[in-house]
């Protein structure tokens, strides 16, 4: 029988990262671990639980990030030829729509994927999807305006055209930050009431 | 005859809720364990009877999904020190869960019957 303590980091991940109330699962794992199961077995069980619990979030983040890269130009063209007369609106509404249209269209498309993934996992609620959408929109907008807030850190002049600026961050860092933003949005947006109570 | 059974089963699918193989195994384990159906014994029962080692996370994911479908209900027991102060979560099948089991069983029996290849005649 194991008499030392089970992996505390794994227990912390189950409690604070894995969606839902995992107290009973943690208890089962500790019970089995005390019955001569190894730390490796414990970690394997936690990784499987995390993978299953975060599957809709990971799917959403992956698809949304991929769409960001592969559909950006298409969305740009689509919104430019849009029949909606957003440009005729008074300032600042026209500016607001001009700045946020790509993020909004991308977000709406990616939210469909999240809704399907949540439906498959039988954890679908409209409030999860709406909350995730609002958070993702806010985070992506912050990311969009970050280079303007910190120009010396994140921007540099384009070599052929001194008037043009471009973001210094390498594409991989941009992709990862985008993926992280979508994942965080889904994770916060799909929090259950049980978890909120636990956290409180 | 097998084709008749096949189309009968397809027709029945639109009327009833069928269980997937993992759901079927987990729900049967819950029924078999009666009052002691929580994560650890369910995993042990599945290993003993099917030879399949299912992760506890998978079992809970399946049970959560079935609870959403109202096939099972769960209640928390008392916290115990050997479980790090965590309570056991006991599962029980609901009448809808038992109905889904019977429906799936009937459909599977219909699908299995009348197939000579699977009855050992050609082995």
């Amino acid at each position: 029988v194991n008499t030392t303590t089970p992996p505390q980091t794994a227990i912390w991940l189950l409690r604070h990262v894995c969606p839902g109330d995992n107290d009973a699962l943690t208890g089962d794992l500790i019970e089995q671990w005390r019955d001569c199961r190894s730390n490796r077995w414990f970690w394997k069980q936690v990784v499987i639980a995390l993978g299953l619990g975060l599957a809709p979030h990971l799917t959403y983040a992956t698809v949304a990030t991929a769409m960001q890269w592969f559909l950006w130009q298409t969305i740009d063209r689509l919104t430019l030829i849009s029949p909606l007369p957003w440009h005729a609106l008074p300032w600042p509404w026209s500016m607001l729509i001009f700045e946020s249209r790509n993020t909004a269209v991308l977000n709406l498309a990616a939210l469909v994927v999240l809704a399907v993934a949540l439906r498959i996992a039988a954890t679908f609620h409209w409030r999860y999807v709406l909350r995730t959408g609002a958070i993702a929109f806010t985070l992506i907008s912050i990311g969009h305006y970050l280079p303007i807030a910190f120009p010396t850190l994140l921007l540099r002049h384009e070599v052929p055209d001194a008037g043009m600026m471009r973001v210094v961050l390498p594409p991989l860092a941009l992709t990862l930050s985008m993926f992280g933003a979508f994942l965080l949005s889904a994770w916060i947006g799909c929090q259950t009431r049980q978890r909120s109570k636990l956290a409180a | 005859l097998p084709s008749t059974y096949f189309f009968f089963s397809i027709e029945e699918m639109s009327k009833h809720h069928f269980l997937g193989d993992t759901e079927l195994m987990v729900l049967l384990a819950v029924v078999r364990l009666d009052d002691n159906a929580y994560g650890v014994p369910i995993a042990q029962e599945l290993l003993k009877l099917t030879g399949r080692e299912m992760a506890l996370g998978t079992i809970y994911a399946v049970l959560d999904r079935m609870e959403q479908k109202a096939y099972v209900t769960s209640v928390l027991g008392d916290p115990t020190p050997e479980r790090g102060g965590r309570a056991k979560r006991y599962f029980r099948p609901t009448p809808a869960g038992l109905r889904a089991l019977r429906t799936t069983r009937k459909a599977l029996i219909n699908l299995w019957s009348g197939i000579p290849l699977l009855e050992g005649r050609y082995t």
Side-chain angles (χ1 to χ4, degrees):
Chain A
V1 176
N2 279 326
T3 51
T4 52
T5 52
Q8 292 301 305
T9 316
I11 292 175
W12 185 89
L13 285 171
L14 264 185
R15 185 167 166 75
H16 297 287
V17 178
C18 194
D21 179 8
N22 298 299
D23 250 20
L25 170 62
T26 311
D28 284 354
L29 290 177
I30 293 171
E31 186 183 327
Q32 286 271 70
W33 180 86
R34 287 201 198 286
D35 196 19
C36 283
R37 292 284 195 171
S38 64
N39 282 359
R40 190 187 162 144
W41 174 87
F42 198 99
W43 269 105
K44 187 183 158 193
Q45 298 287 323
V46 171
V47 168
I48 291 170
L50 279 170
L52 287 168
L54 292 172
H57 312 61
L58 289 166
T59 309
Y60 164 70
T62 309
V63 171
T65 310
M67 283 165 91
Q68 173 73 40
W69 282 107
F70 295 112
L71 301 179
W72 198 252
Q73 290 302 313
T74 319
I75 290 168
D76 239 352
R77 266 183 252 122
L78 281 175
T79 46
L80 280 174
I81 58 163
S82 164
L84 296 171
W86 56 266
H87 50 276
L89 289 168
W91 190 88
W93 305 112
S94 55
M95 188 65 187
L96 194 72
I97 292 174
F98 176 77
E99 288 285 351
S100 60
R101 68 196 196 284
N102 285 342
T103 311
V105 172
L106 172 78
N107 212 351
L108 278 175
L111 284 176
V112 175
V113 175
L114 177 69
V116 172
L118 287 173
R119 178 69 76 185
I120 291 168
T123 50
F124 175 81
H125 285 290
W126 277 110
R127 64 174 183 276
Y128 293 172
V129 179
L130 295 174
R131 265 195 323 227
T132 303
I135 296 164
F137 188 81
T138 309
L139 286 178
I140 301 299
S141 298
I142 290 170
H144 182 72
Y145 288 109
L146 212 59
I148 299 164
F150 302 100
T152 50
L153 285 175
L154 296 167
L155 290 174
R156 71 170 179 212
H157 284 285
E158 202 54 74
V159 179
D161 183 355
M164 286 287 286
M165 305 280 272
R166 64 176 287 198
V167 177
V168 181
L169 285 173
L172 181 66
L174 274 175
T175 312
L176 286 176
S177 56
M178 189 69 70
F179 181 82
F182 282 120
L183 190 60
L184 186 66
S185 312
W187 187 75
I188 299 170
C190 300
Q191 292 274 8
T192 61
R193 202 169 287 170
Q194 280 170 320
R195 175 171 287 285
S196 307
K197 277 182 191 167
L198 273 176
Chain B
L1 269 178
S3 62
T4 316
Y5 285 125
F6 177 76
F7 287 113
F8 167 77
S9 302
I10 296 290
E11 195 181 279
E12 287 288 293
M13 274 183 182
S14 59
K15 294 179 194 167
H16 304 287
H17 293 287
F18 288 88
L19 299 164
D21 62 340
T22 313
E23 283 180 332
L24 181 64
M25 282 196 267
V26 172
L27 190 52
L28 281 170
V30 169
V31 174
R32 293 176 70 90
L33 288 163
D34 199 21
D35 286 339
N36 194 35
Y38 71 97
V40 175
I42 293 172
Q44 286 169 346
E45 189 81 351
L46 288 170
L47 182 63
K48 190 175 79 183
L49 296 175
T50 67
R52 181 177 171 184
E53 189 169 7
M54 210 182 278
L56 283 162
T58 311
I59 291 171
Y60 273 97
V62 172
L63 286 167
D64 281 339
R65 203 162 55 223
M66 287 201 288
E67 198 167 23
Q68 290 277 328
K69 293 178 186 173
Y71 289 166
V72 291
T73 54
S74 67
V75 284
L76 289 177
D78 293 322
T80 51
E82 65 269 17
R83 293 168 54 86
R86 269 89 175 178
K88 290 173 184 171
R89 189 172 161 200
Y90 293 99
F91 291 90
R92 287 189 77 87
T94 62
L98 294 173
R99 241 190 338 267
L101 272 177
R102 286 194 201 99
T103 312
T104 309
R105 180 175 178 265
K106 192 177 164 189
L108 287 175
I109 288 171
N110 287 337
L111 282 165
W112 274 97
S113 60
I115 306 174
L117 188 67
L118 297 170
E119 285 173 359
R121 287 185 205 171
Y122 297 109
T123 56

